[in-house]
Amino acid sequence: MPVCPDGGLRTQTDAVLSCILSYCRHGMCVNKELDLQPVHGEWGLWGPYSVCSRSCGGGTRSNTRDCNKPEPRNGGKFCVGRRMKFRSCNTEPCPRGQKDFREEQCSLFDGKHFNINGLPPTVRWIPKYSGILMKDRCKLFCRVAGTTAYYQLKDRVTDGTPCGPDTYDICVQGLCRQAGCDHVLNSKARNDKCGVCGGDNSSCKTLAGTFNDAQYGYNTVVRIPAGATNIDIKQVSYSGKPEDDNYLALSDGQSNSLLNGNFVVAMFKREINFKGSVIDYSGSDTKVERINCTDRIDEELVLQVLCVGNLYNPDVRYSFNIPIEEHREQFVWDPSGSWLECNRICQGQRRRKAVCVRKSDHLEVSDQRCEDLPRPVAVAEPCNTDCEVRWHVAGKSECSAKCGPGYRSLDVQCMKYVLMKRQSERMEASACGDTAKPQTREPCHGDCLLESWQYSAWSQCSKTCGRGSRSRESYCMNNLGRRLADRDCNEHQRVVTETCSDQLCPKWTVSEWSECLVTCGKGMRHRQVSCTSGTGDEKMSEHFCDPSSKPPAVGSCELPECASWQVGVWGACAVTCGHGYQMRAVRCVSGTYGDTVDDRECNAAARPRDSQDCEMPVCPWASPVQSTPRPDNSAQLLTQWRYGSWTACSVSCGKGKRARYVSCRDAQGGVADESNCAHLPRPPESSACFSPCGQWRAGEWSACSVTCGAGRTTRQVVCSNYHQPVDQSFCDPDEKPATEQECTGAPCPPPYNRQRINDQPYGYPQDPGRHPGHSSWNVPSADNQWRTGPWGACSSTCAGGFQRRVVVCQDADGRSSSYCDERVKPAESKSCDSGPCPLWNYGVWGECTQTCGGGRRTRLVVCQRPSGQRLNDYNCDILDKPPDMEQCSLQPCPGSASWHRRPWKPCSVSCGRGTKQREIACVYQNQTKIEEEHCGHLPRPRTEKACRAQGCPSWKANRWRECSVTCGVGSQNRDVYCRLKGTGRVREDLCDAQQRLSIVQPCQAAECTHYTWVAGEWEDCNATCGEGMRSRKVGCMDAAMTPVQDDYCEPSSQPASHQACKAAPCLLWTSGQWSQVE
C-alpha cells in the first residue's frame, strides 16, 4: 500500500493515480469505498398533492416522497413502503351531454392514422369497451368509427377514467381501483334499485307485466318512461328451442330502431349504448331471449316484439322501476354545501358544492331529485393565498464550446414560495403552467483550454479464454496538468475497455452413445466424455473444463417392454378321488394387448410351473391307496404344443369347418417329434364353426305343469330370417334359447306317511362325521323342498346374456331349512338371448351432383336389427357408421381452374419496414384445391409485398442529475426509458437492449481541499526546577500551509498545545540550631 508523505495528501503524479479515490489515514492510502459503513435509506417528507386529473366525474390527485433522508449508500437498504399515494377530487357529476371521459381521450387521436394500411387521413377514433380482457381495461383501446378494427393507442388511460361502462371503479396508474357511485376511491357506495347513489329503495316503484298477443310484424309491448331503472325483459320460446318466430325489439320515442329493426334480427350477444346507458341483449339464438339494463335511462324506450312465421303467441315478461311522482317544489338546490378543494396550489379559488335538499326538513338527498331545476351559481372565495409559484433557474451547465462561442443549458424549475415562512419547495412543471417558462438555453464563451484523456494501467483480463475484457481508469486533464471533470473531455475519444484472450476455451466433447445394456425394458447406456482444446484437436486434462457443465457419461435408455409369462387358471384334477395332478396354460406374452410370442422371448428360469399335485377325497371302495402318476417334468419343461390362428369358416352361412396348424416345439422353438409332447393334451387342429343365416325367435312361456311344488314350463323357439321361418340349421345351435325351464308353484301339503331317515334310498352314511370332505351332513327329508323365485331380467339387451333367480330350501311351514337334496337343486342362473345386436345397413350410392370439378353423392345409412326393424342411430356404434356422403367426379372441368388468394398475413415486423405474405392455391369453381399446373395459363398472383408498421421505439434519456459529491470524483445518474413517437413511454423490452444509453457516468467537482493540524516547537519549561508546564503553537493549515480557522480541521485529532515538564530538583536552604553567644 502506498504511503502518504507527512501524513497529508499526495500531490505527485503517481500519487494522483493511486490515491485519487482514497484518503490518507495514519500515513497510509485507504480506499474510501472499502472503509465506509453502509447507510440505509429513510423516507423524506410527503410532497404536495398534484393537480386533479379531471374537472368533474371523479378524478385523482397524487403526492410522492423520496428515499433521501438519507439516501442509501455503500450497499445500504432502500426504503420500504409506499412512494406514492392518491385521493379523490372533483367528484361532482359532469354536466349532461358531456363526452365520455374515455371518448375524449380517443378523440385526441382523430386524424392520426399511424401509417396503418386502409385508414383514411380523416380517421375518427371512438372508445372500444367489449372484448377487452379484464387486465387490459386501463389501457386506451380505441376503435375506428364505422368499423370493427381497434388498436391500443396508449399504455394507460388518464387517472380517474372509469374501468368500463358497467362499473364505477376507476383507473389509477394503469390499474383498476375500487370506487363507489359517489366517484370516491375505496368507497363502497352503490346505487339502490331506483338508481339513487346510496339510496334506500324508497324513491321508486316496480312495474311488471306480460304480453302474449301475436300479430304479424312489430307489436308494441310497453313504453318505458325516462328515469326508469333495473329493466329486465324476457321472451320465452314457445317450443323450448332457440328457433322461435318471436323476437324482442327496441326503439326510442321517435321510432328510431335500436335493436332488431327493419326485420333484421341479431343472433348473438351485444351491448347497446342508449344516451349514456348500457343495455345488454342476449341475442336471439337462445331459448330465453333477454334484455337487461341496470342504468337509469334518460329518454323514453319502446319495447316491441316482432312476430313472423307461424305466428305463435309470444311469451314476453317485463319489469322495471320508475320514480315515485313527487312535487317538484319539494326539492331545491342549497348553494351552501361543503367547500370543494382549491383549484390551484397557490393563489386559487374554491367553490361551495351545491347540494339537493328536501324543502320540508332540509335533508340532503341525491342530486338526481333536483336535476330538472336550474343549478345556482356557485359561491367562490380565494384560497391558498399565503404562497405563490413561479419559475426559478436552479443551475447552469458547462459551456458547450471549450473554445469560443457556444451555449449552456439552464435548469429551470417550478418553485413554490411560502411568503410568511420564507420557504421554497420544488413543484411539478404543471403547477406553473399559467406563466410562460423561461428559456432553458443561453449563449456562453469557452476559455480555450485543451483537454485530453489520461489513463491508468490495464486491469487483468476478465477471462483466460473465450474472449474476455479488461479495463482501465481514465482522467480528463487539461494542457496545464490540471484534472478536469469527465464531461470536459470528448466522450467518444475515451477508451476504457478492450477485448482480450480471444483464443477458444477448452470444451467438453462426447462420443456416440453405446448400445443399451438391456434387450428390453429400461436400462443404461454409456459414452465417452473428455475435455479437449477449443479447436477440438487436442485432448486436455479435465480440470481445464468447467466441471459444472460436464455432460453425463451414463444415461438411461428404454426399449420395447419385456415379454413376461402369463398363466391361466388351474384345470380340474386328473382324478375324482385320491391323489392326482392338475395343469394350467403358461405362455409368453408381450405388448399392451398381451400378444403371444415365442417362449425364448421370456426368462426361462422364471417360467411358472404348469402342473401341481391335487388331493381329492379318499376313494371309498379302493383298498390300496393309488394315485395317478404325473407326467415327466423334464420332458414337459423342454417341449410344448404350439398352434396358429383359426382359418376363416368354410361357409358364409350355416355350419362349416375351420382349421389351424398344431405342432410340438422344443425349448428353442424348433419343431420336435409329437411323441415328445405326448404328456400334454394336444390342441385340436379343426373345429366346427357356424355363421348364422337367421335369428332365433322365442315365444311366450306356457303355464307351469304343476299346481304345487316344482314343475316345468315350455315355449316355442323358431329360426327366422327377416320374419320368415327357416330351417333350424340356418341358426347357431349354441345360441338357441332354452325351450323349457323349471317353475315352482305353492308348497304342496305334507304326506301322511313320512319315511324315516334310515329308509332313504340314497345310502347316506350313518355317521356324518366320517364322510370325506364334510364336517357335518344335512340329511334330506320329504318335508324340505327347494323353492325358486322368478327369473330376473337378462343381463344384456342383445348378443346373449344371463338371468338369475333366488333358490332357497324351506320346510313344510315355509321356514328356511338346510335339509334339501343338493342333487335336485334347481339352477340359480341360465343363459338368455335377446337376439343379435343391431348393425349398420346401407344402400347404393346416388348420382353425383357434378359431372366434373368435384361433386358429392349420398346414400342411405340406417341402424337396424337383422329382422329389418329400423332403430335410432344411437343403438349402433357410431364410430363404425359407414359414410353417407363422399366426393365424386373429381376430374377438372375445362377452364374451371383459377387462383384463390388468401388474406395477407400480418406484417413481419411490429415496427419499421417489413414484409407481408399470403398463400395462394389453384382451385376449381367449387373451391377444391388442385395441382398448380392446372392454373399455369393464368398469371400467378404475388405472395409477398412490402409493409410498414408504426415507428420503432428508441431509447431516450433525461438530463443528468447533480454529482453525488461536492468535491473530487463522484458519479451522476439519469433516467433512461424506451419511447415511441406519438405514444410516449412504452415497455423497455420493445427497445434494443444493446443500444441502451448509459444511466451512470463519473463526474468531477471542484478539487477537495484538505486541512491538517500543524504544531510548532515546544517552548522552554516555565519552571527552572521541579515540575512545570511547557506550551507550543498548534494551528489548522490548508494544503498550501496557509493558516485557516480551527473549525476546518478535525477536533479529535488536534495535537496538544500544553504539556507537563520537569526540571532538576530545586535546592532549599536549611537552618540548624542557634549556638550560644560567648
Side-chain angles (χ1 to χ4, degrees):
M1 181 179 289
V3 179
C4 296
D6 302 328
L9 181 68
R10 298 176 64 174
T11 57
Q12 294 88 346
T13 302
D14 60 340
V16 170
L17 294 177
S18 61
C19 290
I20 196 69
L21 293 179
S22 309
Y23 61 89
C24 292
R25 180 178 179 184
H26 303 303
M28 305 301 289
C29 201
V30 179
N31 187 290
K32 292 181 181 179
E33 297 295 333
L34 297 178
D35 192 56
L36 295 178
Q37 295 295 321
V39 177
H40 300 310
E42 296 288 345
W43 287 113
L45 298 176
W46 286 102
Y49 276 94
S50 64
V51 178
C52 192
S53 62
R54 294 188 63 177
S55 59
C56 63
T60 61
R61 302 176 65 182
S62 63
N63 66 345
T64 60
R65 58 178 177 175
D66 294 320
C67 185
N68 58 3
K69 296 293 183 178
E71 291 183 351
R73 295 192 302 274
N74 307 323
K77 297 179 180 179
F78 199 79
C79 303
V80 177
R82 288 194 303 167
R83 182 180 175 272
M84 180 179 290
K85 59 183 180 180
F86 306 88
R87 71 178 183 186
S88 297
C89 55
N90 294 343
T91 57
E92 64 273 12
C94 293
R96 288 189 177 276
Q98 184 171 326
K99 269 187 178 181
D100 174 73
F101 194 43
R102 194 179 291 257
E103 185 179 358
E104 288 181 5
Q105 298 172 61
C106 286
S107 65
L108 296 177
F109 294 95
D110 287 351
K112 298 180 181 179
H113 52 75
F114 304 105
N115 293 326
I116 299 175
N117 288 338
L119 295 189
T122 58
V123 61
R124 187 168 64 88
W125 298 96
I126 58 177
K128 167 70 173 175
Y129 289 111
S130 60
I132 303 300
L133 297 177
M134 294 291 288
K135 65 183 182 67
D136 294 333
R137 291 192 300 171
C138 289
K139 297 177 181 178
L140 185 62
F141 283 94
C142 300
R143 180 169 60 86
V144 179
T147 72
T148 59
Y150 66 95
Y151 304 88
Q152 179 184 328
L153 302 187
K154 286 182 69 176
D155 275 345
R156 59 174 66 170
V157 295
T158 304
D159 287 355
T161 304
C163 301
D166 54 351
T167 179
Y168 288 105
D169 296 344
I170 61 175
C171 295
V172 179
Q173 294 290 298
L175 298 175
C176 190
R177 300 274 298 273
Q178 177 185 339
C181 59
D182 52 1
H183 306 297
V184 176
L185 269 175
N186 301 318
S187 168
K188 295 184 179 180
R190 292 292 179 264
N191 286 332
D192 66 357
K193 71 174 185 178
C194 306
V196 177
C197 184
D200 58 358
N201 301 324
S202 63
S203 60
C204 66
K205 60 182 178 181
T206 301
L207 292 182
T210 59
F211 182 86
N212 52 16
D213 185 18
Q215 294 183 6
Y216 183 81
Y218 288 92
N219 300 269
T220 299
V221 178
V222 66
R223 305 181 78 89
I224 304 174
T229 58
N230 286 338
I231 301 172
D232 185 17
I233 305 167
K234 299 177 185 176
Q235 201 283 123
V236 183
S237 171
Y238 71 91
S239 61
K241 298 180 180 179
E243 298 82 7
D244 195 2
D245 292 334
N246 299 312
Y247 307 97
L248 295 176
L250 291 176
S251 63
D252 60 14
Q254 289 74 40
S255 299
N256 297 314
S257 176
L258 302 175
L259 173 67
N260 295 344
N262 299 321
F263 290 86
V264 178
V265 178
M267 292 184 63
F268 305 111
K269 182 178 180 180
R270 58 178 292 193
E271 290 181 353
I272 305 162
N273 198 316
F274 176 58
K275 305 296 182 180
S277 301
V278 178
I279 302 174
D280 293 319
Y281 176 55
S282 65
S284 63
D285 191 22
T286 178
K287 298 178 183 178
V288 180
E289 193 180 2
R290 192 160 187 172
I291 296 176
N292 292 94
C293 179
T294 58
D295 298 336
R296 181 177 181 272
I297 60 173
D298 294 331
E299 292 187 11
E300 183 184 47
L301 194 64
V302 180
L303 172 63
Q304 298 173 312
V305 60
L306 171 61
C307 299
V308 295
N310 295 322
L311 295 182
Y312 293 105
N313 285 337
D315 183 7
V316 181
R317 310 167 191 177
Y318 61 86
S319 67
F320 52 86
N321 298 327
I322 59 172
I324 298 175
E325 294 296 332
E326 303 268 5
H327 295 294
R328 180 172 296 179
E329 60 270 13
Q330 289 183 341
F331 301 97
V332 295
W333 288 108
D334 182 2
S336 59
S338 58
W339 287 106
L340 300 176
E341 294 186 358
C342 197
N343 63 348
R344 292 184 184 176
I345 297 174
C346 296
Q347 305 298 323
Q349 270 193 345
R350 64 175 184 174
R351 297 179 292 110
R352 282 191 182 275
K353 180 181 179 182
V355 294
C356 184
V357 298
R358 192 160 57 194
K359 196 171 183 180
S360 59
D361 55 3
H362 214 67
L363 176 67
E364 184 176 344
V365 296
S366 171
D367 289 353
Q368 296 172 356
R369 301 292 183 88
C370 297
E371 60 184 2
D372 296 328
L373 299 176
R375 187 182 289 266
V377 178
V379 179
E381 70 175 12
C383 54
N384 293 342
T385 57
D386 60 338
C387 65
E388 63 180 18
V389 289
R390 61 174 183 264
W391 296 106
H392 170 70
V393 179
K396 300 181 180 182
S397 68
E398 295 290 336
C399 192
S400 62
K402 303 302 179 184
C403 182
Y407 64 89
R408 58 185 169 194
S409 300
L410 305 181
D411 183 11
V412 180
Q413 300 178 357
C414 179
M415 301 295 292
K416 172 185 175 182
Y417 295 93
V418 181
L419 306 179
M420 298 297 295
K421 298 182 180 180
R422 296 183 177 275
Q423 293 179 347
S424 61
E425 183 180 358
R426 185 175 176 178
M427 304 296 294
E428 293 182 0
S430 58
C432 296
D434 294 338
T435 58
K437 186 176 182 178
Q439 294 293 326
T440 58
R441 195 167 73 168
E442 67 178 10
C444 58
H445 196 278
D447 55 7
C448 296
L449 289 177
L450 302 179
E451 304 87 8
S452 63
W453 290 105
Q454 301 295 325
Y455 302 98
S456 65
W458 286 107
S459 66
Q460 288 187 348
C461 193
S462 62
K463 295 182 179 179
T464 58
C465 62
R467 198 178 187 89
S469 63
R470 60 180 183 174
S471 60
R472 60 182 177 180
E473 296 290 335
S474 60
Y475 313 99
C476 182
M477 310 288 288
N478 64 14
N479 54 345
L480 301 180
R482 180 184 177 191
R483 182 170 179 180
L484 307 176
D486 286 355
R487 61 177 176 271
D488 294 331
C489 290
N490 188 345
E491 181 68 27
H492 299 291
Q493 296 177 355
R494 178 162 64 168
V495 180
V496 293
T497 59
E498 69 175 8
T499 59
C500 53
S501 299
D502 290 337
Q503 66 274 15
L504 296 175
C505 291
K507 60 182 180 180
W508 295 105
T509 57
V510 296
S511 66
E512 294 293 330
W513 285 106
S514 67
E515 294 292 333
C516 200
L517 299 183
V518 297
T519 58
C520 63
K522 295 182 179 179
M524 305 296 291
R525 57 182 179 173
H526 300 271
R527 64 178 175 182
Q528 296 291 332
V529 179
S530 57
C531 180
T532 61
S533 60
T535 57
D537 54 1
E538 181 183 356
K539 191 171 182 179
M540 308 179 68
S541 175
E542 288 195 354
H543 73 270
F544 286 107
C545 291
D546 182 9
S548 63
S549 62
K550 182 177 180 180
V554 180
S556 61
C557 53
E558 187 170 357
L559 295 178
E561 185 179 350
C562 295
S564 60
W565 293 108
Q566 186 183 70
V567 298
V569 297
W570 288 106
C573 195
V575 297
T576 57
C577 63
H579 296 281
Y581 70 94
Q582 57 185 158
M583 304 189 69
R584 65 178 175 182
V586 178
R587 60 176 184 155
C588 183
V589 298
S590 176
T592 306
Y593 301 103
D595 298 327
T596 303
V597 297
D598 195 286
D599 285 358
R600 289 177 294 179
E601 301 289 336
C602 291
N603 184 1
R607 188 180 192 275
R609 57 179 181 169
D610 54 5
S611 68
Q612 69 177 4
D613 294 332
C614 55
E615 185 78 25
M616 297 301 288
V618 177
C619 297
W621 295 288
S623 53
V625 177
Q626 297 179 353
S627 62
T628 303
R630 293 180 60 186
D632 183 18
N633 286 336
S634 59
Q636 169 194 353
L637 295 176
L638 296 176
T639 59
Q640 63 176 344
W641 289 109
R642 294 288 299 277
Y643 49 86
S645 301
W646 288 111
T647 62
C649 196
S650 60
V651 295
S652 60
C653 179
K655 293 182 179 180
K657 288 187 177 183
R658 58 180 180 174
R660 63 181 175 182
Y661 175 72
V662 178
S663 63
C664 181
R665 300 295 182 99
D666 57 21
Q668 287 73 37
V671 178
D673 190 87
E674 292 194 358
S675 61
N676 294 324
C677 294
H679 62 284
L680 299 174
R682 190 181 195 279
E685 287 184 315
S686 63
S687 71
C689 56
F690 184 84
S691 298
C693 307
Q695 179 183 1
W696 293 110
R697 300 184 65 83
E700 296 294 331
W701 290 104
S702 65
C704 193
S705 60
V706 296
T707 57
C708 68
R712 311 294 289 182
T713 181
T714 60
R715 66 176 175 181
Q716 185 180 13
V717 176
V718 296
C719 179
S720 64
N721 186 13
Y722 289 94
H723 299 284
Q724 297 298 322
V726 295
D727 189 84
Q728 292 194 1
S729 61
F730 287 98
C731 290
D732 189 349
D734 295 334
E735 295 183 359
K736 182 178 181 180
T739 57
E740 65 176 22
Q741 69 175 3
E742 295 178 352
C743 59
T744 305
C748 295
Y752 292 102
N753 297 322
R754 297 185 180 178
Q755 291 180 319
R756 293 172 300 172
I757 293 177
N758 293 339
D759 295 335
Q760 293 295 322
Y762 302 116
Y764 287 97
Q766 297 297 319
D767 185 1
R770 296 179 182 177
H771 193 276
H774 294 272
S775 59
S776 63
W777 190 264
N778 295 330
V779 181
S781 169
D783 292 340
N784 301 290
Q785 293 185 0
W786 293 106
R787 308 296 184 198
T788 60
W791 288 106
C794 192
S795 61
S796 175
T797 58
C798 65
F802 62 90
Q803 292 174 284
R804 294 186 181 275
R805 65 177 176 181
V806 177
V807 179
V808 296
C809 179
Q810 294 180 340
D811 59 16
D813 298 326
R815 293 188 297 269
S816 177
S817 174
S818 301
Y819 299 101
C820 291
D821 188 354
E822 292 286 342
R823 291 173 297 179
V824 296
K825 181 179 180 180
E828 293 181 342
S829 64
K830 68 174 181 177
S831 62
C832 55
D833 185 12
S834 301
C837 292
L839 300 173
W840 292 106
N841 197 3
Y842 51 86
V844 297
W845 290 107
E847 292 187 2
C848 192
T849 58
Q850 302 284 342
T851 58
C852 64
R856 293 182 303 171
R857 62 178 183 176
T858 59
R859 65 179 176 183
L860 180 64
V861 178
V862 296
C863 176
Q864 66 181 30
R865 298 186 187 276
S867 62
Q869 179 185 0
R870 185 168 176 176
L871 304 174
N872 290 328
D873 284 1
Y874 60 77
N875 289 293
C876 293
D877 188 349
I878 197 65
L879 298 178
D880 295 334
K881 183 178 182 180
D884 57 0
M885 182 181 68
E886 69 175 8
Q887 290 184 321
C888 54
S889 301
L890 298 179
Q891 69 277 9
C893 297
S896 61
S898 64
W899 289 109
H900 175 69
R901 301 165 178 83
R902 296 188 180 275
W904 289 104
K905 295 181 180 179
C907 196
S908 60
V909 295
S910 58
C911 66
R913 296 183 179 272
T915 58
K916 281 185 176 181
Q917 294 183 338
R918 67 177 176 184
E919 296 178 356
I920 62 172
C922 184
V923 298
Y924 292 141
Q925 290 178 348
N926 62 354
Q927 300 300 305
T928 303
K929 187 175 180 181
I930 57 176
E931 297 295 333
E932 291 191 357
E933 54 262 21
H934 294 293
C935 296
H937 61 288
L938 300 174
R940 182 183 178 88
R942 61 174 179 166
T943 58
E944 184 174 318
K945 70 175 181 179
C947 60
R948 182 168 184 171
Q950 61 181 0
C952 292
S954 59
W955 293 107
K956 298 294 181 183
N958 292 336
R959 62 180 182 81
W960 291 103
R961 298 190 181 95
E962 295 181 355
C963 195
S964 60
V965 297
T966 56
C967 66
V969 179
S971 63
Q972 55 186 165
N973 301 328
R974 65 178 176 180
D975 292 328
V976 175
Y977 57 94
C978 183
R979 179 178 178 272
L980 179 62
K981 186 176 181 181
T983 301
R985 288 198 182 194
V986 295
R987 299 195 319 272
E988 292 194 354
D989 59 341
L990 299 178
C991 288
D992 187 356
Q994 296 182 349
Q995 298 181 2
R996 184 184 175 97
L997 303 175
S998 60
I999 60 174
V1000 181
Q1001 72 173 7
C1003 56
Q1004 172 72 46
E1007 293 186 1
C1008 297
T1009 303
H1010 293 267
Y1011 301 94
T1012 184
W1013 293 104
V1014 176
E1017 297 293 332
W1018 289 106
E1019 297 180 355
D1020 293 337
C1021 193
N1022 62 357
T1024 57
C1025 66
E1027 296 181 353
M1029 296 294 291
R1030 63 176 181 176
S1031 61
R1032 63 179 176 180
K1033 292 183 178 180
V1034 176
C1036 184
M1037 304 287 185
D1038 59 13
M1041 301 308 291
T1042 303
V1044 296
Q1045 293 182 11
D1046 290 352
D1047 296 341
Y1048 287 99
C1049 290
E1050 178 65 33
S1052 61
S1053 61
Q1054 180 178 5
S1057 59
H1058 292 82
Q1059 187 182 56
C1061 56
K1062 184 183 290 186
C1066 294
L1067 300 177
L1068 299 177
W1069 291 102
T1070 60
S1071 60
Q1073 294 182 350
W1074 290 101
S1075 64
Q1076 293 181 353
V1077 178
E1078 296 180 355

